[in-house]
Amino acid sequence: MFDRLNGVLSLRNNVIWSCKGGFTGTIHVEYFDMSGWRCKKLSFKLLYGFPNLKTWKAIGSRLGPGFVNTAGAGSFLSKNLRLQDINLSSNMTNSIPDGLFVRRFQQLLSVNMSYNNLTIFPKFHASIKTLKIIDLTFNSITHLKNKDIKQIEKLGEVDIFLKGNPFQCSCKTLQFLKFLGQSKRVPDFLDLTCVTEKASRRFMSEVISNLKTFEISCKMKFWLPFAVSITSIIILAMILTVVFFRYKYAVEYFVLRFKMKMRNYKELRQQYAYDAFISYSHADSEWVKDFYDMVNSTGLEFCLDAKDFIAGNSIAENVINAIDSSRKVIFIITRNFLKNTWGSYEMEMTRMHAFQKGREDMVIVVVKDEIKITDMPEILKRMWSKITCIQWPNDDNLPYNTEEIFYEKIKMSLKKKEESTLLFSRN
């Protein structure tokens, strides 16, 4: 039916009309009703012939599938910027085509998208300030996102009808609940229901009346696991730190062993290149040289860092090689040695080697200065029962307190049958 005088064209429930193509001679039409059509296939130019259209009704016309199957569906209303009322309810619409309502409509008052399957709020052009009603009742919206709320606030004095949507009252939708509690733009607010995290259905107004308590519980749900996680991480980090410092030398020892193995390093078995490897402080180099010359003249072969360490290898690798190649390890304990951290490193490497290879009696300690056992490094204290300790002669003039007897003791310690290692290294 076309009433030219009033500009009304009603083709409601007329199944013979096609949604493809377009109209001509409809320039004066202000009211067009195409409800009940079957628009599974649609032309985006269908309404281009209605430049003065103010009211468009397409209730139950299956425009949802039509929009999906139409390229450029977002331009469907691009020639109808004088529209005031749009009714697209019951159209099996899952989503609004991009750009459909993002137009500079001059007098748009209401948009009815009820009884569809929308899950998100439609996008409107920011310049639309005339909009008074957006009907989204009985869709599939669980909550409005922050960007939707900001858009609503920019639209002006618009009423949004939301009844019949499967809203969720959860910590994830907290901002939406706050919006509902503060906004006066939802006239059917008292009819809204929601499903809680415990799967119970409640009136939205009941939840919002206790929103402060609900918000606190949400914060607790977030912060409690967060605090537990942070605490667990800190405790784990502390434990790992303690373990690392407690066993760092063991870790380094086995890492070095692994690296050397990967380089096809072969350990010496029962055959040693040196009788001993000397560990000392470089501050005592002059005394150590005299000591080396004296014991070396007796036919013993000592490993000394200055002459036997391989250039290009790390000090740690040289130390391990020296331990492996020597029957015994000799630590020259002086006050200078105790001040130097490198000495502790070599002791730890020796201890790890002795433990792994079953050579617990490999260590000889030469105490040059007057140092009490209580002042010895903790590593030596733990190994003390397995250590051969020889005192350098002091000035107390006791019998047998001579350099000759001292060197004789060194010689005897090195000529024992048990397998030993003599370690000399830098500190």
Side-chain angles (χ1 to χ4, degrees), residues 46-63:
L46 181 66
L47 299 183
Y48 277 23
F50 298 85
N52 295 302
L53 191 63
K54 293 182 178 180
T55 300
W56 174 42
K57 288 186 177 181
I59 304 170
S61 297
R62 301 187 183 182
L63 285 172

Side-chain angles (χ1 to χ4, degrees), residues 184-224:
K184 297 181 179 179
R185 301 183 182 183
V186 185
D188 56 354
F189 168 68
L190 294 178
D191 296 323
L192 303 185
T193 61
C194 67
V195 177
T196 67
E197 291 179 333
K198 295 181 179 180
S200 63
R201 182 171 293 278
R202 298 178 60 184
F203 279 103
M204 191 78 76
S205 56
E206 294 177 10
V207 176
I208 292 177
S209 64
N210 296 305
L211 194 58
K212 287 291 182 183
T213 304
F214 184 76
E215 184 175 4
I216 292 173
S217 68
C218 287
K219 289 180 179 179
M220 288 296 293
K221 288 178 182 178
F222 171 78
W223 284 109
L224 185 59

Side-chain angles (χ1 to χ4, degrees), residues 88-308:
L88 300 178
S89 64
S90 304
N91 268 283
M92 303 166 62
T93 305
N94 297 321
S95 61
I96 303 296
D98 290 338
L100 185 66
F101 297 136
V102 188
R103 304 288 171 187
R104 293 180 179 274
F105 295 107
Q106 301 167 10
Q107 305 172 42
L108 187 61
L109 296 172
S110 69
V111 174
N112 189 337
M113 293 292 300
S114 62
Y115 291 94
N116 281 289
N117 299 313
L118 297 178
T119 57
I120 59 176
F121 191 84
K123 292 182 181 179
F124 293 89
H125 198 284
S127 67
I128 301 177
K129 301 299 181 182
T130 57
L131 200 55
K132 298 301 179 185
I133 297 175
I134 300 175
D135 190 344
L136 296 173
T137 55
F138 298 97
N139 274 278
S140 301
I141 301 172
T142 58
H143 68 286
L144 298 183
K145 299 180 180 179
N146 290 342
K147 63 179 181 179
D148 300 328
I149 294 172
K150 290 179 181 179
Q151 182 186 193
I152 291 170
E153 291 172 347
K154 292 179 181 179
L155 288 176
E157 299 298 323
V158 58
D159 288 335
I160 302 171
F161 292 85
L162 297 171
K163 178 182 177 181
N165 281 280
F167 292 121
Q168 294 179 359
C169 289
S170 67
C171 296
K172 293 181 179 179
T173 64
L174 183 60
Q175 290 302 116
F176 171 54
L177 299 179
K178 286 183 178 181
F179 164 74
L180 290 178
Q182 299 169 0
S183 178
K184 297 181 179 179
R185 301 183 182 183
V186 185
D188 56 354
F189 168 68
L190 294 178
D191 296 323
L192 303 185
T193 61
C194 67
V195 177
T196 67
E197 291 179 333
K198 295 181 179 180
S200 63
R201 182 171 293 278
R202 298 178 60 184
F203 279 103
M204 191 78 76
S205 56
E206 294 177 10
V207 176
I208 292 177
S209 64
N210 296 305
L211 194 58
K212 287 291 182 183
T213 304
F214 184 76
E215 184 175 4
I216 292 173
S217 68
C218 287
K219 289 180 179 179
M220 288 296 293
K221 288 178 182 178
F222 171 78
W223 284 109
L224 185 59
F226 180 76
V228 170
S229 299
I230 293 298
T231 304
S232 300
I233 292 172
I234 292 173
I235 292 174
L236 180 60
M238 291 174 64
I239 292 173
L240 291 176
T241 301
V242 171
V243 170
F244 173 76
F245 282 104
R246 177 69 179 84
Y247 299 103
K248 64 178 181 178
Y249 291 114
V251 172
E252 185 170 352
Y253 177 81
F254 286 108
V255 168
L256 279 170
R257 284 288 179 193
F258 178 75
K259 287 170 64 177
M260 293 164 71
K261 185 177 181 180
M262 294 300 291
R263 294 179 186 174
N264 296 321
Y265 167 80
K266 294 182 180 179
E267 293 188 40
L268 295 172
R269 297 183 181 274
Q270 303 300 328
Q271 295 181 357
Y272 300 103
Y274 306 100
D275 293 294
F277 174 59
I278 305 176
S279 175
Y280 65 99
S281 169
H282 277 190
D284 302 314
S285 295
E286 187 175 344
W287 186 90
V288 170
K289 183 181 182 303
D290 293 338
F291 172 78
Y292 172 82
D293 291 342
M294 181 63 71
V295 293
N296 197 52
S297 66
T298 64
L300 297 171
E301 186 64 32
F302 284 179
C303 177
L304 204 60
D305 61 348
K307 70 179 184 67
D308 295 307

Side-chain angles (χ1 to χ4, degrees), residues 352-363:
M352 289 302 304
H353 178 86
F355 175 78
Q356 186 192 35
K357 304 297 181 180
R359 301 173 62 192
E360 289 84 357
D361 60 347
M362 67 187 294
V363 178

